[in-house]
Amino acid sequence: MDWMEAVVHTTTMGADVVSEVLMNAGAVGTAIEDRYDVTSSKKEDGMWDMIDEDVLRHMSEDVLVKAYFKDDQTAQETLHLVSEKLRELGKMDLGFDMGSLALENSCVHEQDWAENWKKYYKPFRAGEQLVIKPSWEAYEPLEGDLVLELDPGMAFGTGTHETTFMCMQQLERYVKPGCRAIDVGCGSGILGLAAAKLGASDVLAIDLDELAVKVAKENIEKNGLSSVVRAVHGDLLEHREEKADVIVANIIADVICFLCGPAKNHLLPGGVFICSGIIREREDDVQRALAQAGYTVCNRLEKGEWVCLAAHL
């Protein structure tokens, strides 16, 4: 299948807003290419070889949000819709610079896409124990390493973004052997798989994007964790009855503010709600929503422009 790749030029702070616009327009997946992710994370916290220096030199100074749409008879209409939405976005005062919001598009053959993005993705350490490794890369584990093989496909969630990285650090802190976990907005399944590797005995991974669920299922199978992790299609925690010791949601601030109340009904006594995807300017809103829902923040991580909170009832 051929895909239409839409590329929007924006900023680190604007990337998630742009990504949401593209997903609402029907994108089957988005990817964020940000030099800051690379330069701020490289060699920190035990990470290594995340990207080749030659690739870094050729990365845009802008943050690029890339979205993929089916290249069919509706493609040009979709492109026009995205252009209009970006024009509206550019007129809004969001309190931070959104960049040029320039839009480019091209046709991408699926095989070309699948091969080209691999050069950006190398093994890296995501915490004291967790190591993320694409299946095509070799890695010799150190004693105590918990290695996850991950092929993100066209779903967001390689673990290199600060929001995902901090979630995995929080999971290392709060996931205990035998506990239950729920990953809301699972993407490629990385956080649910991390919970399982850390000892969770039952993990539910949920995503509204059917393609993300498909990719998550493939990664679950690849890691031999089908008996522990199950990926399902769903809208947040609606119509779910499962309860967990740890709930993790790497989404956006507005959704977290909405979700933290309903999540209470799914937390077991002593459970922890981990939330990330929070731009620093929205942290107060999330802190206020957590407090109003009855949570107490027990741990806070900050990396770049992003904040990750862990809270209990």
Side-chain angles (χ1 to χ4, degrees):
M1 176 184 292
D2 288 344
W3 300 89
M4 181 179 70
E5 180 186 66
V7 181
V8 180
H9 292 247
T10 184
T11 62
T12 296
M13 295 178 67
D16 282 341
V17 179
V18 171
S19 182
E20 185 174 5
V21 167
L22 293 166
M23 290 301 294
N24 288 341
V28 297
T30 62
I32 298 172
E33 184 179 305
D34 188 346
R35 289 176 64 93
Y36 182 81
D37 286 347
V38 179
T39 56
S40 67
S41 299
K42 194 170 177 65
K43 307 302 182 184
E44 287 184 12
D45 301 312
M47 294 178 70
W48 71 95
D49 293 338
M50 192 176 79
I51 194 165
D52 294 336
E53 292 293 341
D54 185 60
V55 173
L56 178 59
R57 283 193 294 271
H58 287 88
M59 289 179 73
S60 171
E61 293 293 334
D62 293 338
V63 175
L64 303 181
V65 182
K66 299 181 178 182
Y68 299 91
F69 300 88
K70 292 180 180 179
D71 193 10
D72 56 20
Q73 66 272 16
T74 66
Q76 290 306 310
E77 182 180 342
T78 299
L79 200 63
H80 178 72
L81 172 64
V82 169
S83 181
E84 289 298 313
K85 291 294 183 182
L86 291 174
R87 188 174 294 111
E88 293 174 11
L89 192 60
K91 295 177 182 178
M92 298 170 63
D93 182 8
L94 299 177
F96 52 86
D97 181 20
M98 290 292 296
S100 70
L101 297 177
L103 174 65
E104 302 168 357
N105 72 284
S106 61
C107 179
V108 179
H109 298 296
E110 185 160 0
Q111 184 60 35
D112 292 340
W113 182 91
E115 292 302 320
N116 286 341
W117 68 266
K118 290 182 179 181
K119 63 187 177 184
Y120 292 95
Y121 193 35
K122 303 290 181 179
F124 69 97
R125 184 170 297 279
E128 292 184 8
Q129 296 174 277
L130 291 168
V131 174
I132 311 301
K133 182 187 89 66
S135 60
W136 59 89
E137 290 281 341
Y139 172 70
E140 188 65 33
L142 303 177
E143 184 177 355
D145 280 354
L146 301 174
V147 181
L148 281 174
E149 285 206 357
L150 189 75
D151 290 354
M154 296 179 83
F156 176 79
T158 61
T160 59
H161 195 274
E162 288 102 326
T163 59
T164 315
F165 188 85
M166 290 188 290
C167 281
M168 288 188 283
Q169 291 180 309
Q170 296 279 31
L171 289 172
E172 284 192 339
R173 179 186 294 265
Y174 292 108
V175 170
K176 308 300 180 186
C179 79
R180 298 179 181 180
I182 299 175
D183 176 11
V184 184
C186 66
S188 61
I190 185 172
L191 297 179
L193 290 168
K197 283 285 186 177
L198 289 164
S201 60
D202 182 82
V203 181
L204 174 66
I206 307 170
D207 205 290
L208 186 60
D209 185 341
E210 293 185 353
L211 178 63
V213 174
K214 176 179 180 293
V215 172
K217 287 180 177 179
E218 291 170 354
N219 284 320
I220 291 166
E221 183 71 24
K222 190 185 305 293
N223 284 274
L225 290 170
S226 298
S227 63
V228 178
V229 188
R230 61 194 186 281
V232 300
H233 178 257
D235 188 356
L236 301 178
L237 290 167
E238 286 188 10
H239 310 300
R240 307 303 308 189
E241 298 181 358
E242 292 89 344
K243 294 182 181 291
D245 302 280
V246 177
I247 297 176
V248 59
N250 182 22
I251 314 180
I252 58 173
D254 286 335
V255 178
I256 292 167
C257 291
F258 171 80
L259 176 64
C260 62
K264 292 166 53 177
N265 300 322
H266 298 269
L267 273 179
L268 292 166
V272 175
F273 178 50
I274 298 169
C275 49
S276 191
I278 308 165
I279 201 81
R280 279 190 299 178
E281 284 71 13
R282 297 298 309 280
E283 181 184 357
D284 287 347
D285 295 333
V286 175
Q287 290 265 16
R288 191 178 305 114
L290 288 169
Q292 290 175 348
Y295 293 89
T296 299
V297 173
C298 49
N299 190 258
R300 177 186 183 276
L301 297 176
E302 180 178 333
K303 195 170 182 66
E305 297 292 332
W306 303 95
V307 173
C308 177
L309 302 172
H312 62 79
L313 296 172

